[in-house]
Amino acid sequence: MHDKLTKKDIEMMERELEDRRLNIRPKIMEEVKRCREYGDLSENYEYKAAKQAQRQNDSRVRYLQNMIKTAQVIDEDAQQAGAVQLYDRVTLYLPEDEEEMVIQVVSTVRTNPAAGLISLESPLGKAVLGAKAGQTVTVRVSDSYSYDAEIRAIEPAQDDGSAPLLPY
């Protein structure tokens, strides 16, 4: 699987990876060592919790390494001017619901639909990415369901790094 990531995504992942290796892991290892000294490991909750934290940290490190290694870097300079690009604020009108919504199309590792951060791999993200203001796009959710969305406005924006990485 090759996730489409921006250079900023990879930088954020590399910073987290470095923090997990240099700061978090040594603290967890010290906690495991401290808790091991309590004696009987079969009934030592603190030791089990420390080992679980160690496994979770190691798992996240492997995940980040894999994501960085297999990433397909998005060329943000090659995007079409005047069309919806990554991180632009897009005002949509949904005629079916008679409502407006504002979204930003982001990479898959920074999504948060409740905050209006929509993945470029989602049906809505795919439909609006590259479209222009005034255009009506069809969002295909499945073979049997789709809906229309009118692009009312595009406010150019940049990735300021405020959208955090997903925990997984």
Side-chain angles (χ1 to χ4, degrees):
M1 180 168 106
H2 298 284
D3 286 281
K4 295 178 182 177
L5 304 176
T6 64
K7 291 176 185 171
K8 175 80 80 182
D9 293 334
I10 293 172
E11 288 171 13
M12 291 174 71
M13 288 179 163
E14 288 171 341
R15 278 195 307 271
E16 181 182 343
L17 187 58
E18 183 176 342
D19 182 52
R20 286 185 174 279
R21 284 181 177 158
L22 300 178
N23 299 321
I24 296 173
R25 190 172 197 324
K27 289 176 185 172
I28 291 173
M29 295 303 294
E30 186 61 36
E31 182 67 8
V32 168
K33 182 180 175 185
R34 185 183 67 78
C35 292
R36 185 181 293 132
E37 294 171 357
Y38 291 159
D40 185 9
L41 300 181
S42 65
E43 295 182 16
N44 186 337
Y45 173 77
E46 289 85 1
Y47 177 75
K48 289 178 183 178
K51 288 298 282 183
Q52 181 179 9
Q54 180 183 18
R55 284 189 299 274
Q56 287 174 336
N57 187 63
D58 291 347
S59 176
R60 181 67 177 180
V61 165
R62 285 189 304 274
Y63 169 79
L64 291 169
Q65 288 171 329
N66 188 50
M67 291 294 286
I68 292 167
K69 183 173 73 174
T70 63
Q72 180 181 15
V73 180
I74 299 168
D75 183 8
E76 296 176 76
D77 298 331
Q79 297 180 10
Q80 187 178 7
V84 176
Q85 299 179 39
L86 280 178
Y87 294 96
D88 288 351
R89 292 195 176 294
V90 183
T91 303
L92 299 172
Y93 175 69
L94 306 173
E96 189 176 291
D97 298 331
E98 296 182 2
E99 69 178 37
E100 270 192 1
M101 64 187 290
V102 177
I103 65 165
Q104 282 184 288
V105 181
V106 298
S107 63
T108 57
V109 294
R110 312 251 309 270
T111 64
N112 183 351
L117 302 174
I118 306 299
S119 168
L120 62 97
E121 298 290 331
S122 72
L124 180 57
K126 287 178 184 178
V128 301
L129 202 59
K132 298 185 183 234
Q135 188 176 346
T136 299
V137 296
T138 300
V139 181
R140 298 201 189 294
V141 178
S142 68
D143 290 339
S144 60
Y145 180 70
S146 64
Y147 63 93
D148 290 333
E150 178 189 331
I151 299 174
R152 293 243 167 120
I154 302 170
E155 180 185 329
Q158 297 293 320
D159 180 6
D160 60 5
S162 63
L165 293 171
L166 292 175
Y168 270 98

